[in-house]
Amino acid sequence: MNEHYPFVNPPLPYAYDALEPYIDTQTMYIHHDRQLQRYVANLNAILSGYPELQNLSLEELLRDPASLPDAVRQGIINYGGGVYNHLIYFYGMTPSETRTEAQALYPAIIRDFGSVERFFDEFKAYALAVFGSGYAWLVVEPDGRLRIVMTANQDTPITNGLCVVAGIDVWEHAYFLKRFTDRAAYIEDWFHVVSWQVANDRYINCINGG
Ligand SMILES: [Fe+2]
């Protein structure tokens, strides 16, 4: 992802079929090439008329929506958030199991959730509890502790001063073709492909000031 307007849709860091059998190829293609592409195009269209916003990064655009012009605030929340959230989601998955590489994150999960199993149970409960469309996130609070939060639509945790470690897109477009309405099965699928290496890197960045 380039730093500011005009934003581009970077290619996936793996092949469309790399997450099979957990996330299916057709879903990955449509989700990345059609849906994320549409968010990028709509965000650029909004920013095209606001030169004063064109040098801001996604994080700068989303961190303090109150500072944005009234006419484009919700559009930037929706489409800028859509770009930011999807990039974390897509770049936070991997075809290989790398949980053992989460050397800094693993003890923090034990510290804040008691055990890995309790973390998974709690994360799944949050991801299931999102009403309608949204995301569940593992975030770092300003005091350094891990927490699970959910956001609606394309709202993003960075707007609330939280630093994102990992997140799952639970909009139905992320799983409907394979799992139909069975979100619980999709969450289990995601557990198989979440990149703990990426999450670990993001966690280290968060505790170092994000
Ligand atoms: Fe999505």
Side-chain angles (χ1 to χ4, degrees), residues 13 30 53 75 80 108 114 149 156 181:
I30 296 170
L53 302 178
V149 298
T156 182
T181 57

Side-chain angles (χ1 to χ4, degrees), residues 13-196:
Y14 40 73
Y16 293 103
D17 62 355
L19 306 183
E20 295 271 11
Y22 301 108
I23 311 288
D24 64 282
T25 304
Q26 188 177 21
T27 294
M28 290 301 293
Y29 175 76
I30 296 170
H31 201 175
H32 177 271
D33 282 28
R34 303 283 179 81
Q35 290 168 313
L36 175 51
Q37 184 65 42
R38 185 172 60 86
Y39 281 107
V40 170
N42 287 347
L43 176 61
N44 285 333
I46 290 170
L47 295 174
S48 65
Y50 291 82
E52 70 273 26
L53 302 178
Q54 292 176 358
N55 286 322
L56 299 180
S57 67
L58 274 176
E59 288 84 353
E60 288 168 334
L61 286 167
L62 294 166
R63 205 164 270 148
D64 182 22
S67 68
L68 297 170
D70 290 345
V72 293
R73 180 179 302 118
Q74 193 59 48
I76 290 173
I77 290 171
N78 291 345
Y79 296 113
V83 175
Y84 183 81
N85 293 342
H86 278 107
L87 289 175
I88 289 177
Y89 172 71
F90 285 128
Y91 278 78
M93 295 189 288
T94 178
S96 59
E97 175 59 75
T98 56
R99 188 180 308 168
T100 55
E101 295 178 42
Q103 292 178 350
L105 178 59
Y106 181 83
I109 285 177
I110 303 296
R111 179 195 69 203
D112 292 338
F113 296 97
S115 69
V116 170
E117 291 71 25
R118 284 182 60 181
F119 162 70
F120 278 125
D121 288 346
E122 192 171 330
F123 192 91
K124 185 174 182 179
Y126 271 77
L128 280 172
V130 175
F131 182 76
S133 297
Y135 292 74
W137 306 95
L138 177 63
V139 300
V140 177
E141 299 204 73
D143 68 1
R145 298 190 74 80
L146 291 167
R147 182 179 156 204
I148 301 168
V149 298
M150 61 179 101
T151 55
N153 303 316
Q154 294 296 352
D155 293 352
T156 182
I158 65 172
T159 299
N160 296 317
L162 301 168
C163 188
V164 175
V165 174
I168 181 173
D169 180 346
V170 295
W171 286 56
E172 276 194 348
H173 67 228
Y175 59 91
F176 192 82
L177 289 177
K178 177 166 187 271
R179 293 299 193 182
F180 302 101
T181 57
D182 190 351
R183 187 188 290 179
Y186 161 66
I187 296 166
E188 294 288 339
D189 289 336
W190 183 79
F191 285 153
H192 284 96
V193 295
V194 61
S195 171
W196 295 106

